[in-house]
């Protein structure tokens, strides 16, 4: 086998490599070049020996550029990067240059070896001193040819099981170059961009470490028209390589170009889609890359945007839904259902909320959450809102003719509310129904509708108030309203979001939030309505907190218009509400309600641990009856306010027993005695029920005490 250090073999490699090699001495004087150097630069050896490599300078780099190279050589012994050099014939070409400082046995630099990789694949940028009008504009590739190239690249990607990137590149503000310096300079810049892009594609092999050939089948740079290019990059092993490649393109395109005495610097916007992550056909891949490129421009330019297939599918689904919903509007496939609102204390129906339904041809009757969010930023939401208002007013008029007088609230989207003609259009609608008394219509708006347009919304609400129309803030508490917002927005009603009502019996935090909202409503002199009431117990608790008005499926499901009169005529309030109708619950007794849920939460945590969950109680909370949250209340505020009542004192023994059984349950579970642990857990649940019964007795006494 031939030794790799054989001087003859080294000379063969030196003479046959396609990269140009220049060797300079310690004084940076050329002492040898290989044949490829002559081919690339046009200089014969006798013309450069003894000369400085600076004879290749193009004039396109400043002194700082070369100082950076020498600093890198001094600190690391090497430098690699792109450089514009001038050939003997005056042409300027972009090359990849690697310089290595070779030290002798004393540690001093004895030689510099420079390796040049030709960039142009036979193309070079013409002499910058030549007339720019002579520069040919890169030919544009037809869509058909580009699609064919891409089809071949897709087939190759499938065979190799590698990624394929389609990149659409557009030069930012290129038109301003043409307008200011003329088309010739613009053509020159397009040609230079094409050369840089070709060089970048060639360099991707090194980054990806896929091949070591001069070109890779499937890679394509094509100008598709104007200042737009498409790059087809094949053989990518992962998205990290694509990220490096993309950053390289942005950096390379942004390098200044000196053309006809003008230094021009443009950036680029890139749109990228990746096959097979985007498993589309060639034409669709090109369209997706183009869409992503416009996203990059809208996001600020000089950046790339990766096409999101999931988001595109969502956008496509949204467009389809908007089309179908528009047809539903014109084909009378929309309906209004009405959910009653009642006064829990008096048992009277106080009004109805109109709720939109779509009778979908395949999926049946759909609630608004299934479709309205998709159109809230589309003008279709305004058309739907107009339809809802007109339909609700016609229904009010029809019910009035049947002898039913009630109030109806309708939901108004922000896009509709903020239109300049909102009040005028509503006034015109009301004029068509003179038989409907003022105050029969209420508008429900989300607090987010007005949070950024407070002054404008206030003016709208004041104009509507003059027409007798009231306003409710829907889903209150779920947004970001401040106290100043409540002060500045003249809404008549606050509707507590149903997410807080849902767990009010089990979650002390939700209970505290509801109590706080009710307190705000009282402080700001607003009516408060609870949404989402599902059970009798929720209704009772709301009454005790001071919220008497409610709606929800536990009271009545949304009804078709035809069933509303009969339901109202036959409505009978829950008997449990009547038990509390004449009671007064003071806010000083609110901690008594919270204590109930603190006890429930303690028992729930023990039960969750039995089921395999984490035990989140501290040792003190678990074993010391005074250290749990219920104990803090019982031996603190509770003892002070209710210590004189026998019903209160009866709770202590039950609570103490709870703190004996609970730790025993956990001890048995830890010892692996699962059946015994479950048996003691049943005892703990019996104690829980006894505690709740005692608390209910105490609460009843407190609620009915004389005032």
């Amino acid at each position: 086998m031939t030794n790799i250090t054989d001087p003859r073999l080294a000379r063969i490699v030196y003479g046959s490599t396609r990269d140009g090699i220049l060797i300079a001495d310690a004084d940076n004087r050329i002492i040898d070049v290989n044949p490829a150097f002559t081919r690339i630069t046009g200089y014969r050896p006798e013309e450069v020996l003894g000369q400085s490599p600076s004879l290749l300078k193009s004039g396109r780099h400043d002194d700082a550029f070369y100082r950076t190279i020498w600093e890198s050589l001094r600190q690391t012994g090497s430098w690699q990067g792109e450089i514009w050099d001038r050939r003997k014939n005056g042409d300027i070409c972009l090359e990849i240059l690697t310089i290595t400082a070779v030290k002798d046995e004393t540690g001093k630099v004895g030689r510099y070896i420079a390796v040049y990789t030709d960039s142009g694949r036979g193309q070079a940028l013409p002499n910058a001193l030549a007339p720019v009008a002579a520069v040919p504009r890169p030919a544009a590739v037809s869509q058909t040819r580009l699609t064919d190239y891409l089809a071949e690249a897709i087939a190759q990607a499938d065979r190799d099981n590698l990624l394929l990137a389609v990149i659409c590149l557009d030069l930012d503000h290129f038109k301003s170059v043409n307008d200011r310096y003329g088309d010739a300079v613009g053509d020159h810049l397009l040609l230079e961009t094409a050369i840089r892009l070709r060089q970048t594609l060639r360099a991707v092999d090194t980054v990806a470490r896929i091949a070591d050939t001069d070109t890779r089948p499937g890679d394509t740079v094509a100008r598709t028209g104007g200042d737009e290019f498409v790059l087809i990059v094949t053989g990518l092993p992962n998205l990290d390589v694509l990220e490096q490649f993309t950053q390289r393109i942005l950096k390379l395109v942004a390098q200044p170009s000196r053309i006809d005495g003008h230094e021009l610097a443009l950036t680029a916007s890139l749109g990228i889609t990746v096959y097979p992550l985007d498993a589309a056909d060639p034409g669709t891949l090109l369209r997706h890359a183009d869409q992503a490129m416009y996203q990059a421009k809208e996001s600020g330019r000089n950046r790339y945007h990766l096409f999101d297939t999931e988001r595109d599918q969502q956008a496509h689904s949204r467009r389809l839904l908007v089309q179908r919903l528009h047809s539903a509007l014109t084909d009378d496939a929309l309906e209004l259902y009405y959910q009653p609102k009642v006064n829990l204390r008096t048992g009277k129906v106080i009004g109805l909320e109109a709720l939109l339904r779509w009778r979908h041809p395949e999926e049946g009757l759909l609630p608004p959450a299934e479709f309205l969010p998709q159109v809230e930023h589309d003008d279709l939401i305004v058309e739907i809102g107009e339809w809802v208002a007109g339909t609700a007013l016609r229904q009010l008029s029809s019910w009035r003719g049947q002898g039913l007088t009630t109030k109806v609230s309708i939901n108004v989207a922000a896009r509709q509310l903020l239109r300049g003609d909102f009040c005028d259009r509503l006034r015109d609608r009301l004029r068509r129904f003179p038989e409907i008394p003022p105050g029969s219509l209420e508008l429900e708006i989300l607090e987010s509708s007005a949070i950024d347009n407070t002054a404008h919304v206030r003016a709208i609400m004041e104009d509507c108030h003059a027409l007798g129309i009231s306003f409710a803030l829907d889903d209150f508490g779920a947004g970001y309203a401040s106290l100043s917002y409540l002060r500045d927005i003249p809404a008549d009603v606050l509707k507590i979001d149903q997410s807080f009502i849902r767990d009010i019996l089990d979650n002390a935090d939700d209970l505290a939030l509801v109590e706080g909202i009710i307190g705000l409503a009282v402080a700001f002199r607003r009516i408060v309505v609870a949404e989402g009431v599902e059970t009798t117990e929720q209704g009772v608790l709301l009454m005790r907190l001071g919220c008497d008005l409610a709606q929800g499926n536990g009271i009545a499901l949304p009804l078709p218009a035809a069933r509303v009169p009969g339901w109202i005529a036959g409505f009978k309030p829950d008997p449990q509400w009547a038990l509390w109708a004449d009671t007064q619950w003071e806010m000083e007794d609110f901690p008594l309600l919270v204590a109930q849920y603190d006890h429930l939460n303690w028992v729930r945590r023990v039960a969750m641990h039995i089921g395999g969950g984490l035990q989140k109680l501290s040792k003190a909370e678990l074993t010391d009856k005074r250290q749990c949250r219920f104990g803090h209340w019982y031996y603190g505020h509770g003892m002070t306010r209710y210590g004189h009542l026998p019903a209160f004192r009866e709770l202590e023994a039950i609570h103490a027993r709870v703190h004996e059984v609970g730790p025993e349950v956990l001890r048995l579970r830890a010892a692996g005695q699962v059946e015994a642990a479950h048996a003691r857990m049943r005892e703990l649940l019996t104690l829980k029920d006894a505690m709740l019964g005692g608390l209910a007795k105490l609460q009843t006494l407190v609620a009915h005490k004389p005032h």
Side-chain angles (χ1 to χ4, degrees):
M1 185 161 82
T2 304
N3 192 320
I4 193 65
T5 61
D6 186 338
R8 290 173 299 172
L9 179 58
R11 199 67 195 175
I12 291 172
V13 174
Y14 183 73
S16 61
T17 181
R18 302 184 62 180
D19 293 332
I21 300 176
L22 177 154
I23 302 176
D25 60 18
D27 297 323
N28 200 28
R29 296 294 172 180
I30 299 173
I31 59 175
D32 198 6
V33 295
N34 73 341
F37 176 88
T38 299
R39 177 179 56 80
I40 293 172
T41 67
Y43 286 104
R44 297 189 306 276
E46 60 269 23
E47 293 176 310
V48 297
L49 295 180
Q51 300 288 328
S52 168
S54 62
L55 65 88
L56 299 174
K57 283 186 175 181
S58 64
R60 305 193 65 187
H61 301 292
D62 57 19
D63 291 341
F65 175 80
Y66 295 103
R67 284 197 298 271
T68 300
I69 294 177
W70 283 109
E71 183 64 25
S72 178
L73 289 171
R74 280 192 292 272
Q75 291 188 6
T76 67
S78 65
W79 180 86
Q80 184 179 40
E82 294 171 332
I83 190 168
W84 290 98
D85 275 343
R86 188 188 302 276
R87 294 174 177 171
K88 182 180 177 180
N89 64 4
D91 286 351
I92 295 174
C93 58
L94 181 65
E95 298 167 335
I96 297 176
L97 173 62
T98 303
I99 307 175
T100 303
V102 181
K103 297 180 180 180
D104 58 23
E105 59 274 6
T106 67
K108 293 183 178 180
V109 175
R111 296 284 187 272
Y112 293 101
I113 300 177
V115 180
Y116 296 84
T117 301
D118 190 11
S119 66
R121 298 175 186 170
Q123 255 183 310
L125 192 65
N127 190 333
L129 299 178
V132 293
V135 178
R137 170 178 289 208
V141 175
S142 70
Q143 185 77 10
T144 300
R145 287 185 62 192
L146 191 58
T147 302
D148 291 342
Y149 294 157
L150 186 50
E152 294 175 6
I154 289 173
Q156 185 66 46
D158 289 337
R159 288 192 294 269
D160 296 342
N161 195 28
L162 293 170
L163 300 179
L164 162 70
V166 181
I167 303 175
C168 184
L169 179 149
D170 186 87
L171 294 175
D172 300 327
H173 307 299
F174 176 76
K175 184 177 182 298
S176 63
V177 173
N178 276 347
D179 292 344
R180 183 172 181 181
Y181 302 108
D183 291 344
V185 171
D187 290 349
H188 195 116
L189 188 58
L190 289 175
L191 178 59
E192 185 165 334
T193 300
I195 293 171
R196 292 182 182 184
L197 293 177
R198 292 183 64 185
Q199 176 56 38
T200 307
L201 267 185
R202 183 178 182 187
V204 75
D205 281 338
T206 304
V207 175
R209 304 188 184 281
I210 299 169
D212 196 25
T213 56
D214 188 78
T215 60
R216 186 171 60 253
D219 285 359
T220 302
V221 177
R223 190 177 72 86
T224 54
D227 59 332
E228 193 168 299
F229 294 82
V230 168
L231 287 73
I232 301 173
V233 187
T234 62
L236 295 167
N238 53 55
L239 292 178
D240 289 339
V241 171
L242 177 61
E243 164 74 18
Q244 297 173 37
F245 179 49
T246 304
Q247 294 297 338
R248 181 183 177 86
I249 292 176
L250 291 171
K251 183 178 179 180
L252 194 62
V253 172
Q255 288 182 354
S257 301
R258 191 164 187 82
I259 302 173
D260 198 26
H262 307 292
E263 186 168 287
L264 307 174
L266 293 183
T267 58
S269 296
L270 276 60
I272 307 170
T273 193
V274 179
Y275 178 88
L277 304 181
D278 182 4
D281 59 81
T284 303
L285 288 173
L286 291 168
R287 178 170 55 81
H288 287 173
D290 190 62
Q291 290 175 9
M293 182 269 291
Y294 279 102
Q295 283 291 110
K297 281 193 173 295
E298 291 177 1
S299 299
R301 297 183 168 85
N302 190 26
R303 66 194 63 209
Y304 74 88
H305 184 83
L306 188 64
F307 180 78
D308 188 333
T309 52
E310 182 178 351
R311 181 175 295 180
D312 183 68
Q313 181 59 43
Q314 291 173 350
H316 175 74
S317 299
R318 177 188 168 279
R319 287 192 296 271
L320 181 61
L321 184 143
V322 169
Q323 293 171 3
R324 299 194 69 174
L325 193 52
H326 192 277
S327 298
L329 183 61
T330 57
D331 296 343
D332 293 327
L334 298 182
E335 301 177 23
L336 286 186
Y337 273 48
Y338 297 86
Q339 186 169 49
K341 303 176 190 178
V342 302
N343 187 312
L344 302 170
R345 198 171 295 275
T346 65
K348 302 295 184 182
V349 178
I350 61 165
L352 304 152
E353 179 181 0
L355 297 169
L356 186 64
R357 297 291 185 267
W358 176 11
R359 196 164 290 283
H360 195 281
E362 290 92 27
E363 300 179 39
L365 198 65
L366 298 180
E370 296 290 326
F371 56 90
L372 277 189
Q374 303 295 324
V375 296
E376 63 177 332
H377 299 299
D378 191 283
D379 282 341
L380 180 59
I381 195 71
V382 178
E383 296 182 50
I384 292 174
E386 294 282 342
W387 178 88
V388 168
T391 303
L393 288 170
R394 282 193 297 274
Q395 189 60 61
L396 275 171
S397 178
S398 174
W399 282 331
R400 188 169 180 79
Q402 300 172 45
L404 174 61
T405 301
T406 187
K407 184 173 186 175
V408 169
S409 62
I410 61 174
N411 292 274
V412 179
R415 195 178 186 91
Q416 180 184 5
L417 179 70
L418 298 175
R419 284 174 61 103
D421 60 351
F422 176 77
C423 290
D424 292 336
R425 295 179 68 85
L426 190 57
R427 185 182 293 106
D428 289 342
R429 284 196 176 278
L430 290 171
R431 285 172 180 164
R432 301 174 200 171
F433 301 95
E435 69 280 9
I436 297 177
S440 298
L441 185 66
E442 180 177 82
L443 305 182
E444 296 194 14
I445 62 173
L446 293 174
E447 61 182 62
S448 56
S449 301
I451 207 161
D452 294 324
N453 304 276
T454 303
H456 181 48
V457 170
R458 181 183 180 89
I460 292 173
M461 295 173 76
E462 288 173 347
D463 287 346
C464 289
H465 279 150
L467 301 175
I469 297 171
S470 59
F471 277 84
L473 287 181
D474 198 12
D475 296 345
F476 188 80
Y480 305 95
S482 63
L483 293 180
S484 61
Y485 174 90
L486 281 177
R487 177 197 64 198
D488 296 335
I489 295 296
D492 307 274
V493 177
L494 302 183
K495 299 191 73 176
I496 305 174
D497 185 65
Q498 61 183 331
S499 64
F500 302 133
I501 304 299
R502 183 184 306 119
D503 298 322
I504 193 174
L505 295 173
D506 303 311
N507 189 310
D509 291 334
D510 282 347
L511 176 62
L513 279 169
V514 170
E515 190 273 336
I517 293 173
I518 294 170
L520 281 174
V522 172
F524 283 91
R525 299 180 298 281
R526 308 293 169 82
I527 299 169
V528 62
V529 176
E531 296 181 294
V533 174
E534 301 286 342
T535 67
T536 297
E537 292 75 17
Q538 289 172 340
V540 170
L541 181 55
L542 287 166
M543 291 171 62
R544 290 157 69 181
L545 292 175
C547 176
D548 293 343
L549 309 183
Q551 67 182 93
N553 293 346
I555 299 170
L557 293 169
L559 303 166
R563 290 181 52 196
V564 168
W567 185 91
I568 292 178
F571 172 63
K572 291 183 176 13
D574 193 295
Q576 290 295 318
W577 301 344
L579 295 178
W580 292 87
D582 298 326
T583 63
Q584 296 295 325
W585 187 264
E586 298 179 8
M587 282 299 103
E588 288 187 28
D589 296 314
F590 178 72
L592 172 56
L593 297 179
V594 176
Q596 173 179 321
Y597 303 113
D598 286 337
H599 170 69
L600 284 170
N601 193 40
W602 190 96
V603 175
R604 184 183 299 110
R605 289 186 178 184
V606 174
M608 287 175 62
H609 184 64
I610 291 296
L614 294 177
Q615 198 282 103
K616 297 182 179 180
L617 295 171
S618 69
K619 183 178 179 180
E621 287 178 298
L622 185 64
T623 61
D624 190 340
K625 64 181 182 180
R626 293 178 177 269
Q627 294 303 312
C628 69
R629 292 184 64 171
F630 180 89
H632 279 294
W633 168 81
Y634 187 87
Y635 293 103
H637 179 273
M639 187 66 71
T640 301
R641 188 164 178 82
Y642 313 113
H644 62 288
L645 298 175
F648 175 82
R649 293 194 298 271
E650 290 169 2
L651 297 173
E652 185 171 19
I654 303 172
H655 182 56
R657 185 62 181 155
V658 163
H659 278 275
E660 293 173 4
V661 176
E664 179 67 7
V665 169
L666 297 182
R667 187 191 66 77
L668 291 170
R669 176 69 173 80
Q673 301 178 41
V674 178
E675 290 187 12
H678 280 286
R680 297 307 299 272
M681 187 66 215
R682 287 192 289 274
E683 182 181 350
L684 182 62
L685 293 177
T686 300
L687 289 169
K688 177 205 72 172
D689 291 339
M691 178 69 79
L692 293 180
L695 286 168
K697 180 180 177 181
L698 176 61
Q699 291 169 9
T700 302
L701 288 172
V702 170
H704 289 86
K705 67 184 177 182
H707 293 274

